[in-house]
Amino acid sequence: MPRPGQVKPETDERLSDRIAVGLLTRSFPPELVDRVVTECGRSGQRNRLLPPRVVVYFVLAMCLFAGQGYEEVARLLTHGLAWAKRWSGSWQVPTTAAISRARAKLGPEPLKALFGQVARPLATQSTPGAFYGRWRLMAVDGTVFGVPDSEENAAYFGRPKTHRTQRCAFPQVRVAALAECGTHAITAAALGPLAVSEPALARELFGHLGTGDLLLADRGFTGLELWRAAAAGGADLLWRVKSSAVLPVRKDLPDGSYLSDIVTAKDHRKRSDPQVVRMIEYTLDDPGRPGQEAPYRLITTILDHEVAPALELAALYGQRWEIETALDELKTHQRGPAEVLRSRSPGGVEQEVWEHLLVHHAIRTLMHDTAEHTGLDPDRLSFTRSIRLARRQVTAQAAFSP
């Protein structure tokens, strides 16, 4: 209700121009959204029922309310504004068909471009667990999202087979992500069909690394060419390798590590183009992990054992699991456990993935800012509670113009 004595001014604004979604408009200001939409060639007339800016915020809100239908999400966006009537003419909740057409017209490109504008590392030197010496800890990994079983999605993305070679129920889109270990902020991502491997997608992310970054990766990311691509921008690497990998001892170091070299599979015998690396081997003395006799093997570009002792790097490698937690937040807590995406077309699927990445980054930004203000470790804050707060802000702050 309006406050006593409040006079509602005359204006030509439409309700759709006044939609705000709390945290999301804070993270993605309307001016930035409008600019990205225009640069992607998706700008439209402001007097339409679903102008592009509103569609962007709508699809972001879809991620916050993954279990709600299109029309209900639209109602949540406009909740609390009916009394104001600060727009000309009437405004009604768009139909599901109208929203679907607006989403298709917008496409995935503005969401991808918006992510490219805002996705940045968040940690400062005071953020617990974010740095090792002069290095910012980063990690790369991949995951898949289940998508609706439509002919278009199946043809474009493909579907995995079960262990009995039967078809999986749903097609899947593969996503590779680069994340900051200390804050769980996903700073870069690439997506594609299931047939494209995680290492192939990861190549698209390495341009976001530079001097001062230390990239952690599991043993699925192997190969000399991938190693060199990841280090090309000046980043240092700490990757696990398979126990079967052949890495000859070239020089023993006082901390128990040793210098070795890696080559391409074709150059295994001649070793004509080797890349010098430092090898660290260790085992875990953990009663909860029976049968773990094979040593963990890490290779790194940090060749100076005095700058980064083997024992410290072995302990540091456990930070790689932070990206696993970030992807779990994205898929389980934000999207919903065992849920598939909404879209039955490849363009819609890609749009949804970028939406989820944007919302996750917004929530993680809120958590980092809160932790920094209170002097806490961002890992000590609850992602589930934070996303609930973001959902409440959608309706609580809807009456404020973006």
Side-chain angles (χ1 to χ4, degrees):
M1 295 180 61
R3 294 185 298 274
Q6 182 178 8
V7 177
K8 292 176 284 190
E10 296 294 331
T11 178
D12 291 331
E13 286 185 309
R14 295 179 60 86
L15 173 61
S16 58
D17 293 327
R18 298 190 61 80
I19 290 176
V21 287
L23 170 66
L24 298 184
T25 50
R26 172 181 176 270
S27 303
F28 318 116
E31 297 78 10
L32 174 61
V33 172
D34 290 343
R35 177 167 59 83
V36 168
V37 165
T38 299
E39 290 174 353
C40 292
R42 300 295 195 276
S43 57
Q45 299 297 320
R46 287 181 56 83
N47 62 352
R48 298 185 61 186
L49 186 63
L50 286 169
R53 179 204 293 179
V54 174
V55 180
V56 170
Y57 286 127
F58 172 81
V59 296
L60 291 171
M62 277 173 38
C63 299
L64 288 174
F65 299 97
Q68 303 295 332
Y70 281 1
E71 293 180 24
E72 181 61 21
V73 174
R75 291 187 184 96
L76 289 167
L77 283 175
T78 57
H79 179 72
L81 289 177
W83 65 270
K85 294 185 178 178
R86 294 170 62 98
W87 59 92
S88 60
S90 61
W91 193 88
Q92 62 185 25
V93 174
T95 64
T96 297
I99 295 171
S100 296
R101 289 193 296 269
R103 281 192 60 205
K105 185 173 182 179
L106 182 69
E109 291 80 8
L111 282 301
K112 180 180 180 180
L114 184 60
F115 184 78
Q117 289 286 324
V118 302
R120 297 290 185 273
L122 304 175
T124 64
Q125 285 288 344
S126 61
T127 304
F131 288 84
Y132 171 67
R134 63 181 176 85
W135 290 282
R136 182 188 300 271
L137 301 182
M138 306 293 293
V140 63
D141 205 352
T143 189
V144 294
F145 285 84
V147 302
D149 187 14
S150 67
E151 292 184 4
E152 288 182 87
N153 283 344
Y156 184 82
F157 294 113
R159 71 178 84 222
K161 293 183 179 180
T162 67
H163 65 284
R164 297 180 179 178
T165 69
Q166 298 174 345
R167 295 197 317 164
C168 185
F170 298 101
Q172 293 179 344
V173 54
R174 191 182 301 281
V175 180
L178 181 68
E180 185 180 46
C181 296
T183 65
H184 295 186
I186 296 175
T187 61
L191 55 102
L194 194 61
V196 180
S197 67
E198 288 181 7
L201 288 176
R203 283 178 174 270
E204 301 180 31
L205 311 179
F206 295 154
H208 297 271
L209 296 168
T211 302
D213 292 325
L214 177 58
L215 180 66
L216 313 179
D218 201 3
R219 51 190 171 187
F221 295 85
T222 59
L224 176 60
E225 293 180 357
L226 195 67
W227 179 267
R228 286 175 170 169
D236 282 295
L237 314 180
L238 179 64
W239 292 10
R240 186 181 175 188
V241 295
K242 296 178 180 179
S243 59
S244 59
V246 178
L247 288 103
V249 177
R250 301 305 186 195
K251 180 181 179 181
D252 288 311
L253 298 175
D255 66 344
S257 63
Y258 61 89
L259 298 183
S260 184
D261 53 58
I262 56 175
V263 295
T264 62
K266 296 180 180 179
D267 195 28
H268 178 68
R269 291 182 178 274
K270 294 183 179 181
R271 308 187 79 85
S272 59
D273 185 25
Q275 176 70 50
V276 178
V277 297
R278 179 168 155 227
M279 166 67 79
I280 301 165
E281 294 186 345
Y282 62 98
T283 56
L284 296 178
D285 185 10
D286 185 353
R289 294 171 175 263
Q292 297 290 325
E293 297 181 359
Y296 278 73
R297 309 177 79 200
L298 307 178
I299 56 174
T300 180
T301 56
I302 306 174
L303 305 183
D304 189 342
H305 67 279
E306 294 183 348
V307 173
L311 186 61
E312 292 183 4
L313 291 181
L316 185 69
Y317 181 73
Q319 291 292 316
R320 191 202 69 81
W321 287 96
E322 300 297 342
I323 192 173
E324 300 277 0
T325 302
L327 294 175
D328 179 69
E329 294 167 353
L330 186 68
K331 293 180 59 177
T332 303
H333 303 288
Q334 181 174 301
R335 180 202 58 177
E339 295 289 336
V340 300
L341 301 180
R342 300 173 185 253
S343 302
R344 301 183 64 83
S345 67
V349 167
E350 293 179 359
Q351 185 187 76
E352 278 192 79
V353 173
W354 291 115
E355 296 159 15
H356 275 288
L357 290 166
L358 283 163
V359 170
H360 183 271
H361 196 277
I363 294 170
R364 270 294 161 186
T365 300
L366 170 67
M367 296 174 68
H368 170 262
D369 292 347
T370 302
E372 188 172 42
H373 179 73
T374 56
L376 297 174
D377 185 339
D379 289 348
R380 303 297 297 173
L381 302 182
S382 168
F383 182 85
T384 301
R385 290 185 177 182
S386 299
I387 196 170
R388 288 173 182 168
L389 172 63
R391 287 166 180 159
R392 288 196 298 270
Q393 285 183 332
V394 169
T395 54
Q397 298 184 16
F400 294 91
S401 171

